[in-house]
Amino acid sequence: MTAKSWFKLHSFAGFAFGLLLLLVCFTGTLAVVSHEIQYLADQKYRALSERQGPVPWQVLEQSLAKAYPDYQISNLNVPEQRYLAGSVSLNKGSEFLFAYFDPASGALTGEGQWGTVSRFLRNIHMYLSLGPTGKIVVTSLSFLLLIILVSSFYVYRQWWRKGFQLPSATKVSSRTFWSDWHKWTGVWCWGFILLMFLTGLWYFTEHFLLKFKVEHYPKAPKLELVTAQYQALSLTELMQAAQKARPDLDIRALNYPLSDKAPVVVTGQDATLLVRDRANRIYLDPVTAEVLKLQKAAELKPVAYIADMADPLHFGNFAGLGVKLLYFVFGLGFTFLVAGGIWMHWLRTKRQQPQLIRWLGWTGGVSSALVIAALVVTSVQFSQREVKNLPLSPVLGSLP
């Protein structure tokens, strides 16, 4: 291929679905710091003090029982960042709410509904709020990233010499000005875009592994059906059993079952690097707290380990606020690359294609329609949560 052919390919990959790619990049960049945005916006998302040891589960459960005696716990989560409040999903019939708590003391900090800034951004970024089809569309963008990455070597010759040379701000031509900054930003963001391509490709692959039920991850144990309904143990009892089974585990989440054949699932972090909390799992019998299965991150097979490594690598949620801010900066750079590429395409072709519809083409039209649909559907539905199955957990007011 000639240099001109590589340039055309590079331009096509960056512009064809550029508006959609821009939306996914921008919402993903904000999603990285979405919990921090909530932290700044409302004090209920803030921890009262920094947690030094295990969460006082008994104190938390007593606080919940006092404030929400008619509710059941569905699940709870303790963030990796020690400055953020934990959250508990509560149900009373079809009614749902989040209760937020201080992980260090177990004191409640406030309550809220399903719709949050974090949920809004992640729903768009992950699947455009369009279900499985949206997930395929978003993850398919990773193939465009591959084209952009490979073609950039041929479009920008001897790029390694330009990384430490800031483009001149005195260029007469607007197109030259944008081109120089586009190339400079691309040099610094190349590795970050490669990481987004690799994790995006994994999400694309994982979607079809799950769709066609290809075994690639350890299965959860199933309970023998004893009665149609049973009385599950309290949060405190289950957490005590889980901590006894894995004293080394920093427990960060618990999920009560939605089926009488499913176990309670407790997850957390140990010393294993670059895995999400769900890599370490403790499966408990909800009635007896018997340990049914232990899953340790360090013992996972390669494909399963990749599945649990993808999220931390994609969102930068593995080493504190500093790494998240670094991801945010590179995400902004990536967003600038996409936006700048679209703008340069307009500067280059506006004389030949002055009409917006003609300029966009069919790919731009599809991209624009998906962007509008994602924004509208997310705005309407992101705060709604249908409760189809109630958790098989005790009502908080019935606890001793």
Side-chain angles (χ1 to χ4, degrees):
M1 292 178 64
T2 64
K4 186 176 181 180
S5 298
W6 279 112
F7 178 78
K8 287 182 177 179
L9 182 62
H10 185 81
S11 298
F12 172 79
F15 175 74
F17 294 94
L19 292 178
L20 180 60
L21 185 59
L22 180 62
L23 177 70
V24 172
C25 288
F26 185 61
T27 52
T29 299
L30 293 180
V32 169
V33 292
S34 58
H35 292 291
E36 283 70 25
I37 293 173
Q38 293 176 173
Y39 176 96
L40 296 174
D42 195 324
Q43 63 181 8
K44 69 186 176 188
Y45 299 112
R46 306 171 192 171
L48 302 178
S49 57
E50 185 172 337
R51 177 170 66 95
Q52 300 298 330
V55 176
W57 303 113
Q58 186 172 12
V59 176
L60 171 60
E61 190 167 37
Q62 290 171 349
S63 300
L64 291 169
K66 183 177 180 180
Y68 307 101
D70 299 325
Y71 284 78
Q72 296 172 270
I73 297 175
S74 176
N75 57 71
L76 62 85
N77 178 265
V78 179
E80 188 266 339
Q81 290 76 24
R82 298 294 176 102
Y83 51 82
L84 294 174
S87 62
V88 183
S89 300
L90 298 174
N91 290 94
K92 185 174 71 172
S94 60
E95 184 181 344
F96 170 89
L97 62 81
F98 278 122
Y100 297 95
F101 65 93
D102 174 35
S105 65
L108 301 183
T109 61
E111 65 179 52
Q113 298 302 314
W114 178 252
T116 61
V117 170
S118 174
R119 177 54 48 196
F120 181 89
L121 292 170
R122 288 171 183 264
N123 279 9
I124 292 182
H125 180 72
M126 293 191 296
Y127 59 98
L128 305 174
S129 296
L130 300 177
T133 300
K135 183 69 175 290
I136 294 173
V137 170
V138 170
T139 56
S140 295
L141 294 175
S142 59
F143 295 104
L144 291 180
L145 296 186
L146 177 61
I147 296 174
I148 290 170
L149 287 167
V150 173
S151 60
S152 65
F153 285 113
Y154 299 91
V155 171
Y156 194 25
R157 304 285 182 172
Q158 297 184 336
W159 54 269
W160 58 90
R161 297 183 179 180
K162 307 294 185 179
F164 294 98
Q165 299 177 13
L166 280 175
S168 174
T170 60
K171 298 285 186 180
V172 176
S173 169
S174 176
R175 183 178 162 192
T176 302
F177 171 83
W178 281 98
S179 177
D180 287 351
W181 279 101
H182 182 81
K183 292 174 181 177
W184 184 85
T185 307
V187 169
W188 284 101
C189 290
W190 197 93
F192 178 77
I193 299 171
L194 175 63
L195 181 59
M196 294 303 104
F197 156 68
L198 292 173
T199 50
L201 181 63
W202 164 253
Y203 291 137
F204 179 85
T205 304
E206 185 181 41
H207 174 81
F208 289 99
L209 291 177
L210 295 171
K211 180 178 177 62
F212 295 108
K213 299 180 180 180
V214 178
E215 291 189 16
H216 67 285
Y217 200 84
K219 288 185 176 181
K222 289 186 178 181
L223 298 173
E224 293 295 332
L225 181 61
V226 179
T227 59
Q229 291 183 341
Y230 55 72
Q231 181 65 48
L233 294 175
S234 68
L235 170 67
T236 303
E237 293 171 303
L238 291 169
M239 286 301 195
Q240 287 175 346
Q243 199 70 78
K244 183 178 180 181
R246 286 287 308 271
D248 62 317
L249 192 67
D250 179 22
I251 295 176
R252 295 185 183 173
L254 176 144
N255 290 273
Y256 273 101
L258 300 176
S259 163
D260 49 17
K261 286 190 176 182
V264 168
V265 184
V266 177
T267 62
Q269 286 286 342
D270 55 12
T272 309
L273 297 176
L274 289 178
V275 291
R276 59 188 176 185
D277 295 349
R278 284 176 284 175
N280 294 289
R281 306 189 188 197
I282 304 172
Y283 295 98
L284 300 173
D285 185 303
V287 178
T288 65
E290 175 190 354
V291 177
L292 303 174
K293 182 180 179 180
L294 289 178
Q295 175 181 303
K296 296 184 178 181
E299 298 174 356
L300 291 173
K301 293 182 179 180
V303 176
Y305 196 95
I306 291 172
D308 283 321
M309 185 173 60
D311 278 0
L313 285 177
H314 191 76
F315 289 102
N317 190 27
F318 59 85
L321 181 60
V323 172
K324 294 182 75 172
L325 291 177
L326 188 63
Y327 267 63
F328 177 71
V329 170
F330 278 111
L332 288 179
F334 189 11
T335 303
F336 170 78
L337 278 173
V338 178
I342 295 172
W343 180 244
M344 285 189 296
H345 189 277
W346 167 251
L347 293 175
R348 186 172 61 253
T349 62
K350 63 180 179 179
R351 291 183 179 179
Q352 293 80 22
Q353 298 172 327
Q355 295 180 348
L356 180 62
I357 295 178
R358 185 181 175 189
W359 173 65
L360 285 172
W362 73 267
T363 56
V366 171
S367 183
S368 300
L370 287 171
V371 167
I372 294 171
L375 291 172
V376 171
V377 173
T378 306
S379 298
V380 172
Q381 295 184 353
F382 90 102
S383 62
Q384 302 172 3
R385 184 179 190 270
E386 295 182 4
V387 180
K388 297 180 180 179
N389 297 311
L390 293 176
L392 299 177
S393 56
V395 176
L396 287 164
S398 66
L399 298 174

